[in-house]
């Protein structure tokens, strides 16, 4: 596992092991000797402007186009957006009710790109999950995750991530050959959120607004977005290129 995965899963395992020990199910701690790993920050998580533009040109279905656009415009977490229900939408105000991290009910705001696609995606439905699978829900699926009008299930995070990763493999590997696509890794959904918040920070969005957009409780978590993105740095370097200035 990579460092981020180990560092995320280790405390979760520790809590589970502590509970099992209190129940008398185990005596020892199998995580003894497993330590957090150094995780140098990745400064390339924000997608470049050309990558974002190329993403909107991909030949994908209406569900994916709407989902990706909504993720980027709202800078929300993917699992929050997937929990949107049709009855919780306010299209005229370009917002909808989501269940945020921690269980709080909050507003998710979007822009015109999402607004243009939503009516076709909803297709006159009045309730149920906004983003649906292509097939009917399996027997025993939770009622809240089944559309009462189509009997289709709510799209899962795992499947949404798979679709995004598969469709962005060539975008993530621009010098690769299409014949090698099965051996490539695409982008993750989290990078849309990261890209949107980085653009906000570059445009001078205030700290309180960034906190509201990201729904982070602490300013400390904004540090990962407050750095200029690749395009911003590239423009800065190009504008100060002596050779370019002489040609101008």
């Amino acid at each position: 596992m990579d460092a981020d995965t180990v560092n995320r899963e280790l405390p979760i395992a520790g809590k589970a092991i502590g509970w099992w020990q209190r129940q008398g199910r185990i005596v020892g701690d199998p995580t003894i000797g497993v330590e957090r790993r150094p995780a140098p920050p990745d400064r390339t998580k924000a997608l470049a402007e050309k990558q974002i533009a190329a993403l909107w040109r991909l030949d994908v279905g209406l569900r994916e186009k709407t989902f990706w656009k909504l993720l980027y415009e709202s800078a929300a977490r993917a699992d929050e957006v997937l929990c949107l229900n049709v009855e919780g939408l306010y299209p005229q105000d370009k917002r909808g009710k989501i269940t945020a991290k921690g269980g709080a009910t909050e507003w998710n705001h979007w822009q015109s790109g999402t607004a243009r696609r939503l009516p076709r995606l909803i297709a006159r439905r009045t309730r149920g999950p906004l983003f649906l699978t292509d097939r009917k829900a399996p027997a025993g699926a939770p009622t809240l995750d089944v559309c009462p009008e189509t009997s289709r299930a709510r799209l899962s995070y795992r499947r949404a991530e798979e679709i995004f990763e598969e469709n962005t493999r060539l975008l993530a590997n621009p010098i690769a050959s299409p014949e090698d696509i099965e051996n490539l890794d695409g982008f993750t959904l989290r990078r849309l959120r990261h890209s949107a918040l980085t653009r906000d920070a570059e445009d001078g969005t205030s700290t309180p607004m960034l906190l509201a957009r990201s729904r982070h409780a602490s300013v400390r978590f904004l540090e990962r977005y407050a750095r200029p993105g690749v395009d911003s740095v590239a423009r800065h370097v190009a504008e100060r290129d002596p050779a370019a200035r002489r040609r101008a």
Side-chain angles (χ1 to χ4, degrees), residues 126-166:
T126 59
R127 54 197 177 122
L130 174 59
F131 295 102
L132 300 171
T133 57
D134 297 323
R135 300 178 181 178
K136 288 190 175 182
T143 302
L144 292 176
D145 291 333
V146 179
C147 174
E149 299 176 18
T150 66
S151 299
R152 289 154 58 194
R154 186 186 305 274
L155 182 65
S156 69
Y157 184 99
R158 179 189 60 80
R159 182 57 185 147
E161 180 87 304
E162 286 178 353
I163 294 171
F164 189 67
E165 190 273 333
E166 290 170 1

Side-chain angles (χ1 to χ4, degrees), residues 42-58:
D42 183 351
R43 306 298 191 193
T44 66
K45 288 186 177 180
L47 300 180
E49 294 170 6
K50 289 183 179 179
Q51 291 174 317
I52 292 293
L55 180 66
W56 308 141
R57 295 194 296 268
L58 290 178

Side-chain angles (χ1 to χ4, degrees), residues 70 74 76 81 84 94-96 98 106-110 215:
L70 178 49
S74 66
V81 171
L84 279 169
K94 297 180 182 176
R95 66 188 182 195
I98 59 170
E106 299 188 18
W107 290 109
N108 176 285
H109 300 266
W110 56 81
R215 281 184 290 282

Side-chain angles (χ1 to χ4, degrees), residues 22 24 27 34 53 57 70 74 83 86 91-92 104 111 120 126 149 153 162 164 172 180 204 208 229:
R22 291 192 296 274
V27 177
V34 181
R57 295 194 296 268
L70 178 49
S74 66
C83 286
V86 174
Q92 68 279 10
Q111 297 170 330
R120 287 187 292 146
T126 59
E149 299 176 18
E162 286 178 353
F164 189 67
D180 299 327

